[in-house]
């Protein structure tokens, strides 16, 4: 029997395949309860959690707040200007203070070492809402969505197109290795994941039957894909100067109708959002004015097409985050 009480949720490398699937199953059950109107407010009634957001968010913040409320808990939101973490107060001191007031802490921000230190010194479960290196709550939502849409997890061929060096490329490679899915990073070799992490995932894959592949060929990378996944090319907090470099290197890896047509007919398109697929955002309009591109990592045709499951995926963030908190508190 899986017991995660008191555990922090920092990266999926810390969890066994059985533990990850337990959280996915719990997510599905909590989602069903929500749809049926079955209350869960008695699960952690009276507890309080701190939500630290050094990087702003829509889905992650809403997911944690709604999930906490559904579990009967109170939340305190600390935005980038409302927290002294790492500025006037050390991570260690912040962890000790918050750990004395809250039953759990969420952190969304920069280096993985910050969330690791919060967990080490707070004495309460800490949940990673996104760091530069990993995005584990997103992975649970993605796996739940894949299972809902394709009916299975093991043996799925997942292709990630774009910049695979950071949290999304890293985390997808890890979860695929852990759960026996076949991961392909389809991008310029400059944007391949870190070799050390690739080697770690290859070792895990040898035990689960997964495969890890890195390719610069779109035709090879998308062939027989069950899932094609992408993310924005420029991450939060990165300077404007990197836009031209990324666009020049990654435009061949845009997810478009041709890429989708090369995959299986049953292939689904996934994106962790937000996405630059039209001109309906300030950033999208700025990019168009500077570079003449109305679509970046994915075309609007694909984003709003019949194979896209991005909004089901976004909803599942809340159900899976609820499962993480329910299981670890």
């Amino acid at each position: 029997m899986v017991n995660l009480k008191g555990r922090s949720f920092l990266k999926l490398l810390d969890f066994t395949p059985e533990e990850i699937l337990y959280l996915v199953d719990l997510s599905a059950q909590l989602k069903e309860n929500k749809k049926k109107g079955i209350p869960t407010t008695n699960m952690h009634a009276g507890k309080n959690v701190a939500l630290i957001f050094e990087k702003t968010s829509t889905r992650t913040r809403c997911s944690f707040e709604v999930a906490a409320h559904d579990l009967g808990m109170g939340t305190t939101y600390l935005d980038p200007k409302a927290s002294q973490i790492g500025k006037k107060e050390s991570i260690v001191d912040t962890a000790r203070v918050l750990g004395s007031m809250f039953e759990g802490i969420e952190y969304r921000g920069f280096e993985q070492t910050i969330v690791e230190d919060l967990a080490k010194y707070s004495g309460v479960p800490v949940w990673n809402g996104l760091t530069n290196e990993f995005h584990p709550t997103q992975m649970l939502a993605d796996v739940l969505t894949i299972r809902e849409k394709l009916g299975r997890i093991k043996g799925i061929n997942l292709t990630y197109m774009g910049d695979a060096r950071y949290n999304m490329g890293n985390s997808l490679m890890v979860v695929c290795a852990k759960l026996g899915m076949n991961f392909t990073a389809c991008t310029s070799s400059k944007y391949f994941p870190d070799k050390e992490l690739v080697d770690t995932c290859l070792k895990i894959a040898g035990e689960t039957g997964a495969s890890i592949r890195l390719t610069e060929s779109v035709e090879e990378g998308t062939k027989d894909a069950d899932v094609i996944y992408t993310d924005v090319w420029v991450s939060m907090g990165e300077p404007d100067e990197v836009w031209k470099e990324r666009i020049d290197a990654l435009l061949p890896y845009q997810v478009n109708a041709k890429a989708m047509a090369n995959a299986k007919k049953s292939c689904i398109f996934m994106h962790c959002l937000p996405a630059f697929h039209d001109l309906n955002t300030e950033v999208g309009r700025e990019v168009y004015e500077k570079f003449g591109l109305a679509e970046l990592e994915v075309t609007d045709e694909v984003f709003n097409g019949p194979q896209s499951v991005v909004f089901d995926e976004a909803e599942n963030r809340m159900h899976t985050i609820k499962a993480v908190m329910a299981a670890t508190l």
Side-chain angles (χ1 to χ4, degrees):
M1 181 179 175
V2 174
N3 183 354
L4 302 179
K5 299 295 182 187
R7 291 270 299 275
S8 287
F9 190 72
L10 309 180
K11 59 185 184 297
L12 291 185
L13 288 170
D14 300 333
F15 290 81
T16 66
E18 292 73 24
E19 290 169 338
I20 296 169
L21 290 173
Y22 166 78
L23 288 170
V24 175
D25 289 340
L26 180 58
S27 303
Q29 182 60 58
L30 290 171
K31 181 175 183 177
E32 184 180 351
N33 289 350
K34 178 90 170 174
K35 300 295 184 186
K36 291 180 177 178
I38 300 171
T40 53
T41 49
N42 62 336
M43 291 187 76
H44 290 296
K47 293 181 180 178
N48 291 282
V49 295
L51 308 178
I52 303 171
F53 280 76
E54 292 198 297
K55 288 184 179 179
T56 55
S57 167
T58 300
R59 278 151 299 282
T60 303
R61 177 181 178 179
C62 292
S63 294
F64 269 100
E65 289 190 346
V66 172
H69 181 269
D70 283 357
L71 294 172
M73 299 190 291
T75 61
T76 297
Y77 174 75
L78 299 172
D79 68 24
K81 296 178 181 177
S83 168
Q84 299 295 347
I85 182 169
K87 301 182 187 85
K88 292 184 179 179
E89 188 167 52
S90 71
I91 305 299
V92 174
D93 290 354
T94 300
R96 289 170 172 164
V97 169
L98 296 180
S100 69
M101 297 181 183
F102 296 94
E103 280 78 23
I105 301 167
E106 180 272 349
Y107 174 82
R108 179 184 176 92
F110 299 95
E111 290 79 14
Q112 181 73 13
T113 53
I114 297 174
V115 77
E116 300 277 353
D117 282 345
L118 283 171
K120 183 177 179 181
Y121 294 104
S122 67
V124 299
V126 172
W127 311 295
N128 181 356
L130 174 142
T131 61
N132 292 343
E133 293 88 346
F134 295 107
H135 199 358
T137 57
Q138 179 69 51
M139 294 306 100
L140 295 181
D142 294 342
V143 172
L144 178 61
T145 306
I146 289 169
R147 191 171 72 178
E148 288 175 343
K149 300 300 179 182
L150 299 178
R152 67 192 196 284
I153 297 170
K154 196 171 182 66
I156 286 290
N157 300 323
L158 186 148
T159 296
Y160 180 79
M161 299 177 71
D163 190 344
R165 300 172 298 171
Y166 299 122
N167 45 47
M168 286 306 300
N170 290 347
S171 298
L172 285 165
M173 183 168 62
V174 169
V175 78
C176 285
K178 286 278 185 177
L179 299 184
M181 295 189 283
N182 304 313
F183 175 81
T184 297
C186 181
T187 184
S188 166
S189 59
K190 181 179 178 181
Y191 297 100
F192 283 168
D194 176 71
K195 185 181 184 304
E196 186 177 346
L197 184 60
V198 172
D199 290 342
T200 298
C201 289
L202 282 169
K203 186 176 180 181
I204 296 168
E207 301 169 357
T208 64
S211 68
I212 308 293
R213 180 175 58 157
L214 313 178
T215 181
E216 292 189 287
S217 167
V218 174
E219 185 175 356
E220 181 184 323
T222 57
K223 185 174 174 57
D224 294 327
D226 295 294
V227 179
I228 292 181
Y229 202 121
T230 193
D231 187 16
V232 293
W233 291 341
V234 179
S235 299
M236 289 179 289
E238 291 192 279
D240 290 344
E241 302 85 71
V242 305
W243 277 100
K244 186 177 188 313
E245 174 197 333
R246 297 281 169 80
I247 288 171
D248 288 346
L250 295 176
L251 195 57
Y253 302 98
Q254 180 189 68
V255 181
N256 51 35
K258 184 179 179 182
M260 294 299 295
N262 196 48
K264 291 181 181 177
K265 286 187 177 180
S266 58
C267 180
I268 58 175
F269 169 72
M270 302 182 74
H271 193 306
C272 55
L273 303 183
F276 297 124
H277 60 98
D278 57 25
L279 299 179
N280 294 329
T281 63
E282 287 183 17
V283 173
R285 288 190 292 272
E286 286 177 15
V287 169
Y288 181 72
E289 288 167 8
K290 290 179 181 177
F291 305 105
L293 294 171
E295 305 162 311
L296 288 180
E297 72 276 6
V298 58
T299 62
D300 192 63
E301 179 183 11
V302 171
F303 185 87
N304 282 308
Q307 291 168 284
S308 176
V309 299
V310 297
F311 295 109
D312 300 283
E313 182 184 1
E315 179 194 334
N316 281 340
R317 292 297 309 286
M318 190 273 289
H319 304 298
T320 47
I321 281 170
K322 188 189 297 185
V324 170
M325 292 195 291
T328 56
L329 284 170

